[in-house]
Amino acid sequence: MSSIIGPDRIGIEIKLTSRCNLHCLHCVNRDGGPDGRDLDHDLFIRRLREWEVSGEGMRWPIREVRMTGGEPLLNLPGLAAVGFACLEMGIPSGINTNGSLLTESTAGLLREAGIRVVKISLDTLNPCRIREIRGENASLDAVLKGIGIAVRSGFEVIVRFTLTSLNREELVPCYEYAVEAGAARFQVKPLIQAGRAKEIGIRLTPCDFREAVEDLGNRLVPGSVVPEILCSIPRPIPGLAFKACGSIDKLYISSGGEVFTCNFLESTPLGSMQSDSLAELFEIRAARAGKRRLGGHLVLEGCPEYHGRA
Ligand code: SF4
């Protein structure tokens, strides 16, 4: 098994909390509600400093630290602490959020903490459907307001659309909205069969997914954002960018400190932040994370998206 991670820059995704203000019907982590646990962010920062002083940065350079959840804005102390530590060490950082809790003052704090990227989920422009997808507490106005604040605050804003049978006809309108709002990037992700998504039957067939993406390719806004189609084997559709696997060079740390390759893979942990240094975890990942070629593209073994595909 050849080593996946050489001097390539590694992305680290950390789950700052499993608490969430929404309750998405396709949540991979089955999160939702006020009860949950927060990451021991002090330990994570200690692991980062350990990596920095160990000189392992040459062998294992870190591309970015991305903070996610649950809803990371529910753990502002952890978010700020990790952001400032990354800033100090020159490591780019960002957050993945549902956007509904983003205010001008929070955006100010994120900027101060050196956060550069804000990825916001937008799956519909229909105020009723957003409650169907993201739970009774979801407000479309709050999410759209969050996107506006993020753009005005100068973050690199990524709008992420999870494509299902519930919102297939909204792909193009959401893309157009993201372009209009000034988003820097627009991503489309299929509904990966993991977590709650396994039980709800709203996944598009590969054929319907391809048609929806082709339709998007035919309705692009000239000279603007190139939509990125994630977790999808590249297709010759002009104007679209594909990424077969976004976790091929990533490490995912759960709020409990367990470490995986990808959040969507239901696999045994590679290790834990409590017992292993980051350099050790990178080594373990390089040695143990299975990968394979699909249509000439590297994907992770065990990914539900490519299950049964040769
Ligand atoms: S492992 Fe699968 S779900 Fe995870 S990023 Fe790769 S393709 Fe997507």
Side-chain angles (χ1 to χ4, degrees):
M1 170 90 66
S2 62
S3 145
I4 290 182
I5 303 178
D8 296 347
R9 306 181 73 77
I10 306 160
I12 301 179
E13 192 169 308
I14 59 172
K15 185 175 179 178
L16 271 181
T17 180
S18 57
R19 293 177 289 128
C20 191
N21 61 319
L22 301 182
H23 194 281
C24 303
L25 55 80
H26 51 49
C27 180
V28 63
N29 301 310
R30 303 175 194 277
D31 289 332
D35 305 327
R37 76 182 292 177
D38 289 358
L39 180 80
D40 180 345
H41 63 263
D42 290 328
L43 173 57
F44 177 69
I45 292 169
R46 280 203 302 281
R47 289 296 188 197
L48 272 182
R49 295 204 187 289
E50 190 183 43
W51 163 86
E52 189 194 29
V53 294
S54 69
E56 288 284 0
M58 293 302 291
R59 176 155 165 62
W60 304 110
I62 294 176
R63 179 181 66 241
E64 185 198 30
V65 170
R66 183 71 62 92
M67 294 172 260
T68 186
E71 174 45 49
L73 294 178
L74 287 174
N75 182 1
L76 278 182
L79 207 160
V82 172
F84 281 115
C86 288
L87 184 61
E88 221 181 284
M89 288 181 254
I91 302 170
S93 65
I95 66 167
N96 296 351
T97 168
N98 63 41
S100 62
L101 298 177
L102 192 59
T103 63
E104 303 280 1
S105 62
T106 309
L109 171 65
L110 300 186
R111 290 295 297 174
E112 237 181 280
I115 305 273
R116 297 185 190 172
V117 173
V118 174
K119 181 188 285 190
I120 298 179
S121 306
L122 179 69
D123 299 327
T124 178
L125 294 171
N126 177 317
C128 301
R129 183 169 292 147
I130 197 167
R131 287 196 293 279
E132 191 186 346
I133 296 174
R134 296 201 172 272
E136 276 311 304
N137 299 338
S139 149
L140 180 62
D141 287 349
V143 174
L144 300 184
K145 190 167 152 250
I147 292 172
I149 289 170
V151 170
R152 287 195 303 279
S153 304
F155 295 106
E156 179 191 342
V157 176
I158 306 173
V159 170
R160 212 267 302 271
F161 184 98
T162 301
L163 179 54
T164 72
S165 59
L166 287 182
N167 62 359
R168 187 200 175 301
E169 80 289 350
E170 293 206 71
L171 174 55
V172 173
C174 284
Y175 158 72
E176 290 168 344
Y177 181 89
V179 170
E180 190 67 31
R185 294 164 63 188
F186 181 78
Q187 296 180 333
V188 182
K189 188 165 179 127
L191 185 71
I192 310 291
Q193 292 300 278
R196 283 197 200 114
K198 281 199 297 193
E199 298 124 24
I200 48 171
I202 59 167
R203 177 177 160 81
L204 280 184
T205 66
C207 176
D208 288 343
F209 183 86
R210 190 180 60 246
E211 277 179 18
V213 164
E214 281 169 356
D215 184 35
L216 175 63
N218 296 330
R219 297 170 60 189
L220 296 178
V221 179
S224 86
V225 178
V226 173
E228 302 157 40
I229 315 303
L230 307 181
C231 309
S232 303
I233 299 299
R235 297 176 178 283
I237 304 175
L240 301 182
F242 286 78
K243 191 174 247 189
C245 177
S247 292
I248 211 74
D249 54 2
K250 245 195 210 169
L251 209 63
Y252 176 82
I253 303 178
S254 73
S255 51
E258 293 172 317
V259 178
F260 302 88
T261 51
C262 172
N263 183 22
F264 291 84
L265 260 65
E266 288 163 349
S267 55
T268 44
L270 294 171
S272 93
M273 210 176 50
Q274 285 77 4
S275 58
D276 309 302
S277 72
L278 284 179
E280 285 162 343
L281 290 164
F282 296 150
E283 295 276 1
I284 296 167
R285 191 189 189 294
R288 284 189 22 213
K291 61 174 171 62
R292 63 186 176 108
R293 283 202 175 277
L294 195 56
H297 302 276
L298 274 180
V299 298
L300 287 172
E301 293 276 12
C303 170
E305 184 58 20
Y306 298 124
H307 180 65
R309 287 177 62 179

